[in-house]
Amino acid sequence: MIEFDNVSKQYSRDAYALRDIFLSIPDGELVFLAGPSGAGKSTLLKMIAGIEKPSHGRVIVNGQDISKLKSGSLPYLRRKLGLILQDQKLLNDRSVLSNVMLPLIVTGAASSEAEARARVALEKVGLIDKASALPLSLSGGEQQRVAIARAIVNRPKIILADEPTAFLDRDNANKVLSALKAFQSAGVTCLISSHDEQFLDQANRVIYLSHGQVTDTWNAAVAA
Ligand code: ADP
Ligand code: ADP
């Protein structure tokens, strides 16, 4: 469960990136965060990972108040999350396989174990045949699926994806979304931001943001 309890975020004194946000996202849902550029979608995702702290209110993930975590505990939180954020590029001087192994290597996994798990992750996103390729030789959609494999190699219960289909054509965007939906089917909560409305009907829940405020929510369970 992810909860926002009256959360506001100001990067500067008179500008709100998010304002008075109340949200409750149950486990296992596929949730879209919709809204134009600048609406506050990235900020909201970063707060769940403790990358940004609320100026006011509480962000609670699996019962834990993220803003109360000591900075030393944040790496442990982030390991339980699959992050696909815009400023996390693939390393272009390493193979696809090595990129996907990295989150395991940095936490001290043996390289044989890391490689085996990275291969499983690449199979899940349909890219095992690209394991030894360099990221730049892949299409944009394939690179985004490598980023998904890297994000899920730690087997997180929550995936946060910031505009994972941006800059992709419809076919590649569909492949990226299918990969994410496969993890949701396996019980992972997926929170995906998008300014593109074409996929919204596939979600369990859509949260519309504008100027830092929730303007509307749509819930499949209620709509049905
Ligand atoms: P979105 O992801 O919907 O495009 P963001 O969360 O990136 O929206 O941005 C929301 C607002 O906060 C925007 O007005 C943006 O300019 C501002 N903002 C985002 N990050 C920062 C930052 N690090 N410092 C100052 N302002 C920021
Ligand atoms: P898609 O059809 O998925 O959009 P592309 O048409 O970009 O993908 O690429 C088709 C295939 O060619 C992909 O499997 C990709 O790995 C490979 N490829 C794309 N660009 C390059 C490149 N610059 N060098 C080598 N292989 C490439």
Side-chain angles (χ1 to χ4, degrees), residues 127 129-130 133-143 145 168-169 171-172 175:
L127 286 177
D129 57 327
K130 302 286 184 187
L134 289 173
L136 286 177
S137 72
L138 271 50
S139 72
E142 290 170 333
Q143 290 182 33
R145 284 188 282 144
L168 300 182
D169 61 30
D171 190 37
N172 277 304
K175 284 183 187 161

Side-chain angles (χ1 to χ4, degrees), residues 16-214:
Y16 281 89
L18 289 173
R19 188 161 196 160
D20 308 333
I21 304 289
F22 291 88
L23 285 178
S24 185
I25 298 170
D27 290 341
E29 284 200 350
L30 178 71
V31 180
F32 267 102
L33 208 51
S37 180
K41 304 183 297 297
S42 300
T43 300
L44 195 153
L45 292 176
K46 285 178 179 169
M47 285 173 124
I48 297 169
I51 297 168
E52 295 291 352
K53 293 231 150 86
S55 311
H56 180 269
R58 299 183 307 156
V59 178
I60 298 160
V61 180
N62 295 335
Q64 205 164 31
D65 184 343
I66 299 305
S67 39
K68 288 224 174 74
L69 284 181
K70 300 247 185 325
S71 56
S73 311
L74 283 173
Y76 297 97
L77 165 72
R78 288 191 198 131
R79 259 171 241 164
K80 294 186 197 157
L81 302 172
L83 301 179
I84 304 156
L85 302 180
Q86 298 197 323
D87 41 17
Q88 299 173 315
K89 302 275 182 255
L90 299 173
L91 301 177
N92 291 320
D93 59 346
R94 288 168 181 250
S95 69
V96 161
L97 180 67
S98 164
N99 269 276
V100 178
M101 287 169 63
L102 211 55
L104 299 170
I105 298 292
V106 298
T107 57
S111 74
S112 56
E113 157 88 1
E115 176 170 343
R117 285 174 58 184
R119 287 186 180 280
V120 170
L122 284 169
E123 265 160 25
K124 287 185 181 165
V125 299
L127 286 177
I128 191 63
D129 57 327
K130 302 286 184 187
S132 52
L134 289 173
L136 286 177
S137 72
L138 271 50
S139 72
E142 290 170 333
Q143 290 182 33
Q144 200 57 280
R145 284 188 282 144
V146 174
I148 294 172
R150 183 182 58 180
I152 58 87
V153 76
N154 272 316
R155 302 198 190 110
K157 297 302 289 172
I158 298 174
I159 293 177
L160 307 176
D162 196 5
E163 298 275 3
T165 61
F167 315 115
L168 300 182
D169 61 30
R170 183 173 289 250
D171 190 37
N172 277 304
N174 267 318
K175 284 183 187 161
V176 165
L177 201 67
S178 299
L180 290 169
K181 283 176 75 174
F183 293 107
Q184 187 226 351
S185 303
V188 177
T189 308
C190 294
L191 188 48
I192 305 170
S193 80
S194 181
H195 64 269
D196 180 350
E197 309 234 323
Q198 68 172 316
F199 299 114
L200 300 187
D201 58 345
Q202 302 189 37
N204 298 110
R205 192 180 296 262
V206 182
I207 298 161
Y208 292 90
L209 279 179
S210 177
H211 300 291
Q213 291 187 289
V214 175

